[in-house]
Amino acid sequence: MSLLEIRNVTRRFGNYTAVDNVSISVETGEFFTLLGPSGCGKTTLLRMIAGFDLPDSGQILLDGKDMVGTPPEKRPVHTVFQTYALFPHMTVVDNIAFPLKMAGKTPQEIKTRVADALDSVRLSNFGGRFPHELSGGQKQRVAFARGLVNRPRLLLLDEPLGALDAKLREEMQIELINLQKEVGVTFVFVTHAQNEALALSHRIAVMNRGNVEQTDEPSKIYGFPRNRFVADFIGKISMMNARIVEATPSHLRLNAGELGEVITAAKEGVKAGDDGVMAIRPEQVRISHPSEEPRLKNHFLGKVHDFLYIGDVTTYIVELSNGTYIEALLPNSSPGRATFFEVGDEVGVSWRHDAGIFLND
């Protein structure tokens, strides 16, 4: 039995349906992420799990018990917010101890648990400080410690890294992974940042307009998106209209209009004549001088339309002969100053026969 089961949950605000008949299960010890754009329903769903909001229909079961109707303070659940929500007039120790005092724990138990919580987030020497004396990362760790001190069955994290700068955010991602492993508490994490979800999660539920589009492991969400929304929302991807000419157990042969024949990976449930798009990630596309001998089945000529230098890699936007744009990622791995293709250069782009995927949804 799953630790958390969300069964056919719906939440409406007037005529607007924020969460539409959603069902999700979360296993014990899992780092589970709700991912999606603003307004997709992920925060509303998290608030219903916490008890801050109630569903119009459906069940939210924790250890098999329906939590709907149980007030937030009676649920073995704690929430960590993006804004930290620390009491400014309390020290770090008092902030962390607050949930234990509300639960009526003894002074000795409070002292022991707070010390353990501080140690788990590596802030043992900061107990006497006030929130204004801490950095953003330290405040976030205090919030994590307070969330874990009463040993919840479930820790809910509502975009907890959103207020941090890029470098600190990356550091905190690593700390969060290690913390979750050490304490063994089940995490349900809400974010709109795709890279963050891919880096942290055991599984991801991609949400859109109140629905769950796909639930899977990060590598499958990224490499085998179920539909165009998931493919386009997770990372960068190029798509071109295509029709299946031949469907075999080993591959699909597509007609991509003026571009001609394209070979992609096989897909179940499709047949010759189906229309859709051929989608491919930039890192799977090779870019080269037109004079180089093509060694891959999918090889086309184009012209560099634009490029973006990011230090370790350069992303090229290439216009193919049929007017379609495709992105290619080139590592800047050679020593010294990187050399670039310039805007207007004619180039060849190619990719493996099993690199692209066909999407008809």
Side-chain angles (χ1 to χ4, degrees):
M1 183 177 64
S2 300
L3 172 65
L4 173 69
E5 287 188 77
I6 298 168
R7 295 181 182 173
N8 308 113
V9 164
T10 295
R11 180 68 173 105
R12 299 183 184 90
F13 298 95
N15 294 326
Y16 175 68
T17 303
V19 176
D20 189 4
N21 197 35
V22 165
S23 295
I24 293 172
S25 63
V26 180
E27 303 301 321
T28 301
E30 190 171 27
F31 197 126
F32 189 92
T33 295
L34 300 172
L35 172 68
S38 297
C40 72
K42 57 187 186 296
T43 297
T44 300
L45 187 57
L46 195 80
R47 287 178 56 82
M48 289 190 287
I49 298 170
F52 302 140
D53 202 354
L54 296 176
D56 293 306
S57 61
Q59 294 179 297
I60 298 174
L61 299 116
L62 190 64
D63 286 322
K65 180 183 177 182
D66 194 352
M67 292 285 104
V68 175
T70 302
E73 66 274 12
K74 298 293 184 181
R75 301 186 185 196
V77 173
H78 195 93
T79 306
V80 176
F81 300 97
Q82 178 180 335
T83 55
Y84 317 129
L86 302 179
F87 298 113
H89 62 287
M90 291 185 182
T91 64
V92 167
V93 163
D94 289 336
N95 263 284
I96 297 172
F98 184 78
L100 299 175
K101 290 178 180 178
M102 292 298 98
K105 302 298 181 183
T106 66
Q108 184 56 48
E109 186 174 5
I110 291 173
K111 183 178 179 181
T112 300
R113 285 206 194 180
V114 170
D116 290 343
L118 280 169
D119 185 60
S120 71
V121 295
R122 295 183 294 283
L123 287 176
S124 296
N125 297 325
F126 291 78
R129 296 193 184 184
F130 289 88
H132 72 270
E133 298 175 310
L134 304 175
S135 69
Q138 289 167 343
K139 289 177 185 177
Q140 191 61 80
R141 278 189 273 168
V142 173
F144 289 145
R146 186 175 61 184
L148 293 167
V149 73
N150 57 0
R151 299 170 186 170
R153 294 285 287 141
L154 196 62
L155 187 66
L156 309 179
L157 303 109
D158 189 7
E159 306 220 32
L161 309 183
L164 306 179
D165 63 61
K167 184 174 177 59
L168 183 55
R169 189 168 182 154
E170 188 173 324
E171 292 173 358
M172 287 301 297
Q173 287 175 14
I174 296 171
E175 290 197 17
L176 198 53
I177 292 171
N178 292 333
L179 180 62
Q180 200 265 342
K181 288 179 181 177
E182 290 170 9
V183 300
V185 173
T186 304
F187 282 13
V188 176
F189 184 85
V190 161
T191 185
H192 64 272
Q194 301 95 323
N195 290 343
E196 192 167 87
L198 293 171
L200 294 174
S201 315
H202 295 135
R203 285 191 304 142
I204 300 169
V206 181
M207 295 190 67
N208 179 36
R209 297 182 179 180
N211 296 289
V212 174
E213 299 283 354
Q214 183 173 351
T215 303
D216 222 324
E217 299 169 12
S219 61
K220 291 181 179 178
I221 291 278
Y222 184 82
F224 303 97
R226 182 172 296 167
N227 55 39
R228 298 184 208 186
F229 174 82
V230 176
D232 190 46
F233 185 73
I234 304 291
K236 293 183 177 181
I237 199 163
S238 298
M239 299 188 197
M240 62 181 74
N241 293 326
R243 172 174 290 179
I244 298 177
V245 176
E246 179 186 37
T248 75
S250 61
H251 69 274
L252 299 179
R253 186 160 58 90
L254 311 176
N255 185 315
E258 295 176 16
L259 195 63
E261 183 178 287
V262 178
I263 306 298
T264 67
K267 183 177 181 178
E268 293 183 359
V270 297
K271 63 185 184 305
D274 285 353
D275 289 317
V277 295
M278 193 286 296
I280 189 163
R281 300 287 183 188
E283 67 271 16
Q284 297 172 319
V285 179
R286 177 187 171 187
I287 183 171
S288 60
H289 290 284
S291 59
E292 292 186 22
E293 182 70 23
R295 299 176 183 175
L296 302 174
K297 289 184 178 180
N298 298 309
H299 185 90
F300 306 97
L301 295 178
K303 186 178 293 186
V304 175
H305 176 77
D306 211 343
F307 68 89
L308 184 64
Y309 173 74
I310 316 177
D312 55 342
V313 297
T314 300
T315 299
Y316 291 92
I317 302 172
V318 179
E319 183 178 3
L320 301 178
S321 57
N322 68 342
T324 299
Y325 292 97
I326 192 167
E327 293 190 21
L329 198 68
L330 188 65
N332 299 323
S333 54
S334 300
R337 185 178 181 276
T339 57
F340 307 104
F341 293 104
E342 301 292 341
V343 172
D345 284 353
E346 292 189 353
V347 293
V349 293
S350 55
W351 59 90
R352 285 174 52 93
H353 66 281
D354 56 356
I357 56 174
F358 178 78
L359 299 171
N360 55 347
D361 294 325

